[in-house]
Amino acid sequence: MIKIQVPATSANLGTGYDCMGMAVNLFSEFTFTSSEKRLEISGCAEEFKNSSNLVYRAFVRGCEYLQVPVPNLKIKIETEVPVSRGLGSSASCIVGGLVASFTWHQKPIDKDIILKLACEMEGHPDNVSPAIFGGLCMSFIQNEQVELIKYPVSSDLHFLAIIPDFKVSTEAARAILPKQLSYADVTYQVSHALLLVDALQTGSLQKLKLALDDRMQEPYRKKLINNYDNIKKLCDKMNCDLYISGSGSTLMGITDDITIQNELINEIKKLLPKWLLKPVSVDPDGFKIEVH
Amino acid sequence: MIKIQVPATSANLGTGYDCMGMAVNLFSEFTFTSSEKRLEISGCAEEFKNSSNLVYRAFVRGCEYLQVPVPNLKIKIETEVPVSRGLGSSASCIVGGLVASFTWHQKPIDKDIILKLACEMEGHPDNVSPAIFGGLCMSFIQNEQVELIKYPVSSDLHFLAIIPDFKVSTEAARAILPKQLSYADVTYQVSHALLLVDALQTGSLQKLKLALDDRMQEPYRKKLINNYDNIKKLCDKMNCDLYISGSGSTLMGITDDITIQNELINEIKKLLPKWLLKPVSVDPDGFKIEVH
């Protein structure tokens, strides 16, 4: 029996649009055992209990890469990560399946190879990079190579995943963006993204507020998230920072004071009792493997 | 007698357009002594030997800020930094004059105050930041505050200032740029600027090549610099990196091998004997003060 634990990931991060992502300690666990049937899957919606399942497809891709046969499999999925909420659930599935195939066939795990294969499947590295390496990652693909920088994140910062009871379609979140940015705004984005990395490393809430205030995505995408303005007002009142995780619908609140985080939780609960509120911290290491 | 030594600065740096600058060990020295006349200036062109001189204006600005009288002054300018070649000569003058006024009146030097005053005079912090703090600086102005991050630069990297025998006008260098950038190119610029900071800190020439390859300025501004393509070809052949310093005309070649730098110098000398070639290293500290 093989169990792969993969952290959720929060990408985009304000001015980190399309190149940054951060692993957080909400986990998906994928358990693989041998089966008499070709494939049995439990723990997901009925429509995904077949060979189109992303975890299984990633496992098959790993076997292809390793040039080894695909075994009969029983896959059990247990996850704290809601699907299609901007927390990298598809990246978790891909990384889980790929790492499992290498582990199943007792091949050494080279994280760079896992990253390359995962990027091919996901199309971009924003979520798979932190799911594999942990921490805060900046990554991009050029000349078919993935360039990656991993940064530590200050333990002074407390994150709150504020998860709405609705999805935002990735297509709608893309369609709502302009096509171009002025030169002044590009310089703004570049300089603030550099400040963002610095503020997350040093834990400066004040610099983080400046750094997260982006001009590419949030001014547009916030319109797709009901109650964004209410949450934003609450955060501003309590001196918490806020950004849209992925392309939404999850919002991530940030504070350096656990008491304030608890107050924020209470206020949001009163306002939006159906939303899920999960205090999270940064996962420093990425996926973990258990073999029994 | 007060002597202020200020390093030259190389701003823009490929994908660091309009927010990064680096101090290098080409110095301007400004000597201030008391005079019987209101103002005597030596060491610059005749047209600048009057109260419009930038060093003097900065000294006067410092006195205004300190609310102290402007003394009669003799200013001597000695500089290794050619004017209007993209090496921050005006920033040197501003920082020299400001620091001298504080020193003259025996006021404590607060670098943040010098930075704020210098930015007001220069209009942007790209060059004045490293002239004051040294090293590689990322800085921008927001809400009338200067935000600044200083990064160390690897001592493995050897820089060569390749200084043409002609100027590029800042106006022409601005006019030649487009007004907007596509979203894909913005993400490219942001991610590569993050890689640039990392590559300069770690001294990776290979990552530096990727990181310096920008899509905002060099593809346009290189047309304003005669022989850019010839220098670029030489650098590529010798595995050196290259960027336009400031808005030109100086080009900065980078290698991690001093032998290769010497070969590059020899090749450029053959091709362009009138150009000035100055091997430089990063100045880690910014301006220096001598009082006699």
PDB file of all heavy atoms in Angstrom, chain B residues 246-261:
ATOM      1  N   GLY B 246      20.963  51.912 -17.950  1.00  0.00           N
ATOM      2  CA  GLY B 246      20.066  53.066 -18.008  1.00  0.00           C
ATOM      3  C   GLY B 246      19.279  53.022 -19.304  1.00  0.00           C
ATOM      4  O   GLY B 246      18.746  51.975 -19.683  1.00  0.00           O
ATOM      5  N   SER B 247      19.233  54.139 -20.027  1.00  0.00           N
ATOM      6  CA  SER B 247      18.613  54.096 -21.358  1.00  0.00           C
ATOM      7  C   SER B 247      19.702  54.189 -22.431  1.00  0.00           C
ATOM      8  O   SER B 247      19.469  54.596 -23.547  1.00  0.00           O
ATOM      9  CB  SER B 247      17.594  55.240 -21.497  1.00  0.00           C
ATOM     10  OG  SER B 247      18.193  56.483 -21.209  1.00  0.00           O
ATOM     11  N   GLY B 248      20.916  53.749 -22.066  1.00  0.00           N
ATOM     12  CA  GLY B 248      22.056  53.769 -22.963  1.00  0.00           C
ATOM     13  C   GLY B 248      22.804  55.087 -22.833  1.00  0.00           C
ATOM     14  O   GLY B 248      22.421  55.933 -22.033  1.00  0.00           O
ATOM     15  N   SER B 249      23.866  55.262 -23.555  1.00  0.00           N
ATOM     16  CA  SER B 249      24.393  54.364 -24.564  1.00  0.00           C
ATOM     17  C   SER B 249      25.284  53.248 -23.996  1.00  0.00           C
ATOM     18  O   SER B 249      25.606  52.303 -24.713  1.00  0.00           O
ATOM     19  CB  SER B 249      25.212  55.174 -25.568  1.00  0.00           C
ATOM     20  OG  SER B 249      26.245  55.898 -24.887  1.00  0.00           O
ATOM     21  N   THR B 250      25.654  53.303 -22.718  1.00  0.00           N
ATOM     22  CA  THR B 250      26.554  52.275 -22.172  1.00  0.00           C
ATOM     23  C   THR B 250      25.908  50.884 -22.193  1.00  0.00           C
ATOM     24  O   THR B 250      24.722  50.736 -21.895  1.00  0.00           O
ATOM     25  CB  THR B 250      26.962  52.645 -20.731  1.00  0.00           C
ATOM     26  OG1 THR B 250      27.748  53.839 -20.771  1.00  0.00           O
ATOM     27  CG2 THR B 250      27.759  51.538 -20.067  1.00  0.00           C
ATOM     28  N   LEU B 251      26.705  49.900 -22.565  1.00  0.00           N
ATOM     29  CA  LEU B 251      26.298  48.501 -22.463  1.00  0.00           C
ATOM     30  C   LEU B 251      27.099  47.872 -21.335  1.00  0.00           C
ATOM     31  O   LEU B 251      28.262  48.218 -21.120  1.00  0.00           O
ATOM     32  CB  LEU B 251      26.585  47.768 -23.772  1.00  0.00           C
ATOM     33  CG  LEU B 251      25.977  48.385 -25.033  1.00  0.00           C
ATOM     34  CD1 LEU B 251      26.458  47.631 -26.280  1.00  0.00           C
ATOM     35  CD2 LEU B 251      24.457  48.347 -24.948  1.00  0.00           C
ATOM     36  N   MET B 252      26.492  46.949 -20.610  1.00  0.00           N
ATOM     37  CA  MET B 252      27.215  46.284 -19.529  1.00  0.00           C
ATOM     38  C   MET B 252      27.360  44.801 -19.885  1.00  0.00           C
ATOM     39  O   MET B 252      26.361  44.097 -20.064  1.00  0.00           O
ATOM     40  CB  MET B 252      26.444  46.451 -18.212  1.00  0.00           C
ATOM     41  CG  MET B 252      27.219  46.074 -16.975  1.00  0.00           C
ATOM     42  SD  MET B 252      28.572  47.241 -16.582  1.00  0.00           S
ATOM     43  CE  MET B 252      27.675  48.490 -15.647  1.00  0.00           C
ATOM     44  N   GLY B 253      28.613  44.378 -20.012  1.00  0.00           N
ATOM     45  CA  GLY B 253      28.897  42.962 -20.271  1.00  0.00           C
ATOM     46  C   GLY B 253      29.158  42.250 -18.949  1.00  0.00           C
ATOM     47  O   GLY B 253      29.748  42.828 -18.039  1.00  0.00           O
ATOM     48  N   ILE B 254      28.723  41.014 -18.831  1.00  0.00           N
ATOM     49  CA  ILE B 254      28.905  40.270 -17.571  1.00  0.00           C
ATOM     50  C   ILE B 254      29.476  38.883 -17.864  1.00  0.00           C
ATOM     51  O   ILE B 254      28.996  38.176 -18.750  1.00  0.00           O
ATOM     52  CB  ILE B 254      27.569  40.087 -16.808  1.00  0.00           C
ATOM     53  CG1 ILE B 254      26.784  41.407 -16.749  1.00  0.00           C
ATOM     54  CG2 ILE B 254      27.820  39.558 -15.395  1.00  0.00           C
ATOM     55  CD1 ILE B 254      25.411  41.269 -16.090  1.00  0.00           C
ATOM     56  N   THR B 255      30.491  38.513 -17.089  1.00  0.00           N
ATOM     57  CA  THR B 255      31.039  37.160 -17.175  1.00  0.00           C
ATOM     58  C   THR B 255      31.443  36.709 -15.781  1.00  0.00           C
ATOM     59  O   THR B 255      31.516  37.520 -14.855  1.00  0.00           O
ATOM     60  CB  THR B 255      32.247  37.113 -18.141  1.00  0.00           C
ATOM     61  OG1 THR B 255      32.903  35.844 -18.008  1.00  0.00           O
ATOM     62  CG2 THR B 255      33.273  38.194 -17.799  1.00  0.00           C
ATOM     63  N   ASP B 256      31.671  35.414 -15.608  1.00  0.00           N
ATOM     64  CA  ASP B 256      32.163  34.941 -14.311  1.00  0.00           C
ATOM     65  C   ASP B 256      33.627  34.490 -14.431  1.00  0.00           C
ATOM     66  O   ASP B 256      34.141  33.795 -13.565  1.00  0.00           O
ATOM     67  CB  ASP B 256      31.283  33.815 -13.758  1.00  0.00           C
ATOM     68  CG  ASP B 256      31.180  32.630 -14.706  1.00  0.00           C
ATOM     69  OD1 ASP B 256      31.828  32.653 -15.787  1.00  0.00           O
ATOM     70  OD2 ASP B 256      30.444  31.686 -14.386  1.00  0.00           O
ATOM     71  N   ASP B 257      34.286  34.921 -15.525  1.00  0.00           N
ATOM     72  CA  ASP B 257      35.652  34.465 -15.785  1.00  0.00           C
ATOM     73  C   ASP B 257      36.476  35.673 -16.264  1.00  0.00           C
ATOM     74  O   ASP B 257      36.216  36.230 -17.322  1.00  0.00           O
ATOM     75  CB  ASP B 257      35.598  33.376 -16.867  1.00  0.00           C
ATOM     76  CG  ASP B 257      36.967  32.776 -17.154  1.00  0.00           C
ATOM     77  OD1 ASP B 257      37.988  33.494 -17.001  1.00  0.00           O
ATOM     78  OD2 ASP B 257      37.017  31.599 -17.552  1.00  0.00           O
ATOM     79  N   ILE B 258      37.454  36.045 -15.476  1.00  0.00           N
ATOM     80  CA  ILE B 258      38.215  37.269 -15.752  1.00  0.00           C
ATOM     81  C   ILE B 258      39.008  37.151 -17.065  1.00  0.00           C
ATOM     82  O   ILE B 258      39.191  38.148 -17.785  1.00  0.00           O
ATOM     83  CB  ILE B 258      39.127  37.619 -14.539  1.00  0.00           C
ATOM     84  CG1 ILE B 258      39.533  39.087 -14.550  1.00  0.00           C
ATOM     85  CG2 ILE B 258      40.337  36.702 -14.453  1.00  0.00           C
ATOM     86  CD1 ILE B 258      38.437  40.030 -14.164  1.00  0.00           C
ATOM     87  N   THR B 259      39.424  35.930 -17.410  1.00  0.00           N
ATOM     88  CA  THR B 259      40.141  35.719 -18.676  1.00  0.00           C
ATOM     89  C   THR B 259      39.235  36.039 -19.858  1.00  0.00           C
ATOM     90  O   THR B 259      39.645  36.673 -20.832  1.00  0.00           O
ATOM     91  CB  THR B 259      40.619  34.246 -18.783  1.00  0.00           C
ATOM     92  OG1 THR B 259      41.182  33.879 -17.534  1.00  0.00           O
ATOM     93  CG2 THR B 259      41.646  34.080 -19.881  1.00  0.00           C
ATOM     94  N   ILE B 260      38.000  35.602 -19.748  1.00  0.00           N
ATOM     95  CA  ILE B 260      37.041  35.878 -20.824  1.00  0.00           C
ATOM     96  C   ILE B 260      36.772  37.376 -20.913  1.00  0.00           C
ATOM     97  O   ILE B 260      36.674  37.935 -22.008  1.00  0.00           O
ATOM     98  CB  ILE B 260      35.735  35.078 -20.599  1.00  0.00           C
ATOM     99  CG1 ILE B 260      36.022  33.589 -20.788  1.00  0.00           C
ATOM    100  CG2 ILE B 260      34.633  35.541 -21.555  1.00  0.00           C
ATOM    101  CD1 ILE B 260      34.832  32.684 -20.579  1.00  0.00           C
ATOM    102  N   GLN B 261      36.706  38.035 -19.743  1.00  0.00           N
ATOM    103  CA  GLN B 261      36.500  39.488 -19.773  1.00  0.00           C
ATOM    104  C   GLN B 261      37.642  40.170 -20.531  1.00  0.00           C
ATOM    105  O   GLN B 261      37.404  41.070 -21.343  1.00  0.00           O
ATOM    106  CB  GLN B 261      36.393  40.055 -18.358  1.00  0.00           C
ATOM    107  CG  GLN B 261      36.004  41.530 -18.378  1.00  0.00           C
ATOM    108  CD  GLN B 261      35.885  42.128 -16.997  1.00  0.00           C
ATOM    109  OE1 GLN B 261      36.884  42.287 -16.304  1.00  0.00           O
ATOM    110  NE2 GLN B 261      34.679  42.461 -16.597  1.00  0.00           N
TER     111      GLN B 261
END
